[in-house]
Amino acid sequence: MASVKSLDDLKRIREEALKKQQLKETSGKTEVIVGMGTVGIAAGARETLKAILEMIETENLGDIIVRQTGNIGLDSFEPIVQVALPGEEKVTYGKVNPEMARQIIKEHVVGGNIVTEYQIRG
Amino acid sequence: MRELALHILDIAENSISAGADKIRISVSERVNDDILEIVIEDNGKGMDPETLSGITDPFITSRTTRKVGLGIPFLKAAAEACDGTFDIQSSVGYGTTVQATFKHSHIDRMPLGDISGTMQTLIIGTPEVNWVFEYHTDAGSFVFDDKPIKDTLDGVPLSEPAVMRFIREMLDEGIQSLHQQVADTITSGH
């Protein structure tokens, strides 16, 4: 089947990404982790992660690594999102729906301020 | 789970936990045979026969020693409730293959759902795995392999916004174009 997308398009994307990286200082990457165990999935973790991906795409946010992981072990707080800014401690958020996820990206990942009202403290 | 795509996501998590670095997900909608088949095949560490025999029973293993979640008994129950079948084959050191079939027209069969969203979650969220997604229908197939993409990117991360968009559009367009082919086949009376 003919696809509109070609690897040549991707090569161009790669060149642009590399140019952008050269301009920036090596400040490290922010890590965003979404728990994707059975309980998380049933509680809507895929929609939460998708909202994060959409936000990164539409706001063109670079230097963020999004990961999904198996059970984080806090079943009653699923979906769980963890954010680690470069060189900082990991912050864990609970019962994160897509709207909350967008707020966390905006305020914490971009703005650098922890959204304390959604935070789970151990 | 409300979608087959969520079951697929859940089973694929087991493959990741088993240390697989290549995972193939195949969905076949064979309407002419009234079958919807899902296959998740990995090259992870596999299971011995004893573990394998208990894997479909949610009550056999204690939760503390369980390495995989309830995903497998859930999928098995869903398939069997739709006049389908469930099979799991595993070999230590070689990997595990999960296969579930559903009667396509069964009233209780869940929709496939957001399979593109499931694949994006897996591909972007677990970049160290080589993901292959196959979607087969009576009218044709769509095959997505992320290896050429990663080779082309050569170190540029998948979570780069423009790369994410590329992958999302590639999956969405492939799936939509396949659905269009199926619709065209139906209207042309084959």
Side-chain angles (χ1 to χ4, degrees), chain A residues 14 20 50 57 64 68, chain B residues 13 114 126 153 160 168:
Chain A
R14 177 176 184 273
K20 215 169 62 183
K50 262 190 83 179
E57 201 187 301
I64 300 169
Q68 52 103 18
Chain B
E13 293 296 330
D114 185 7
T126 328
L153 285 172
E160 187 63 36
R168 181 177 58 75

Side-chain angles (χ1 to χ4, degrees), chain B:
Chain B
M1 304 279 175
R2 306 166 301 277
E3 302 171 15
L4 292 174
L6 290 175
H7 280 281
I8 291 172
L9 179 56
D10 197 8
I11 302 295
E13 293 296 330
N14 297 339
S15 297
I16 298 167
S17 304
D21 64 7
K22 181 164 184 172
I23 303 172
R24 186 179 72 93
I25 291 170
S26 167
V27 175
S28 304
E29 287 200 64
R30 303 199 299 269
V31 180
N32 292 343
D33 300 327
D34 202 10
I35 285 174
L36 190 153
E37 181 201 55
I38 292 168
V39 176
I40 296 121
E41 182 184 9
D42 72 56
N43 67 350
K45 64 180 194 290
M47 285 172 280
D48 57 51
E50 196 193 348
T51 313
L52 188 62
S53 65
I55 204 85
T56 53
D57 188 334
F59 305 110
I60 274 186
T61 327
S62 76
R63 196 65 208 264
T64 47
T65 58
R66 180 185 286 279
K67 288 206 180 65
V68 291
L70 289 163
I72 286 173
F74 277 175
L75 179 60
K76 183 173 190 273
E80 287 171 353
C82 299
D83 296 338
T85 60
F86 180 88
D87 185 46
I88 179 165
Q89 302 281 336
S90 192
S91 173
V92 174
Y94 291 94
T96 302
T97 301
V98 171
Q99 185 212 33
T101 67
F102 299 76
K103 186 176 182 195
H104 197 284
S105 63
H106 199 285
I107 189 107
D108 290 329
R109 182 183 65 78
M110 279 167 276
L112 179 58
D114 185 7
I115 188 69
S116 174
T118 285
M119 290 314 302
Q120 286 169 56
T121 299
L122 293 168
I123 293 163
I124 313 283
T126 328
E128 61 276 14
V129 172
N130 170 203
W131 293 98
V132 178
F133 170 59
E134 297 174 13
Y135 190 179
H136 303 288
T137 69
D138 294 323
S141 297
F142 168 62
V143 178
F144 176 98
D145 182 344
D146 73 356
K147 191 173 185 303
I149 293 173
K150 286 171 181 163
D151 288 350
T152 306
L153 285 172
D154 195 17
V156 167
L158 294 179
S159 48
E160 187 63 36
V163 177
M164 269 185 196
R165 178 177 303 120
F166 181 88
I167 291 171
R168 181 177 58 75
E169 288 178 352
M170 202 172 187
L171 286 165
D172 285 347
E173 284 168 16
I175 292 163
Q176 276 163 20
S177 141
L178 189 55
H179 284 164
Q180 189 57 49
Q181 280 182 54
V182 173
D184 291 348
T185 313
I186 292 164
T187 35
S188 69
H190 288 293

Side-chain angles (χ1 to χ4, degrees), chain A residues 37-121:
Chain A
T38 303
V39 177
I41 294 169
R46 188 191 63 189
E47 274 53 48
T48 298
L49 190 142
K50 262 190 83 179
I52 295 168
L53 297 184
E54 276 164 21
M55 185 93 181
I56 292 173
E57 201 187 301
T58 52
E59 304 288 317
N60 198 26
L61 307 172
D63 290 327
I64 300 169
I65 298 288
V66 181
R67 291 199 56 86
Q68 52 103 18
T69 183
N71 210 330
I72 292 175
L74 294 158
D75 282 3
S76 53
F77 292 101
E78 298 280 4
I80 288 173
V81 173
Q82 294 179 315
V83 174
L85 297 181
E88 286 186 27
E89 289 258 324
K90 201 186 281 174
V91 175
T92 302
Y93 295 106
K95 299 190 176 173
V96 182
N97 64 32
E99 199 181 326
M100 289 158 73
R102 284 188 281 270
Q103 190 186 340
I104 290 166
I105 296 295
K106 202 167 147 191
E107 293 181 18
H108 189 182
V109 175
V110 179
N113 301 310
I114 296 170
V115 189
T116 48
E117 57 182 309
Y118 306 149
Q119 192 180 358
I120 304 172
R121 291 191 185 83

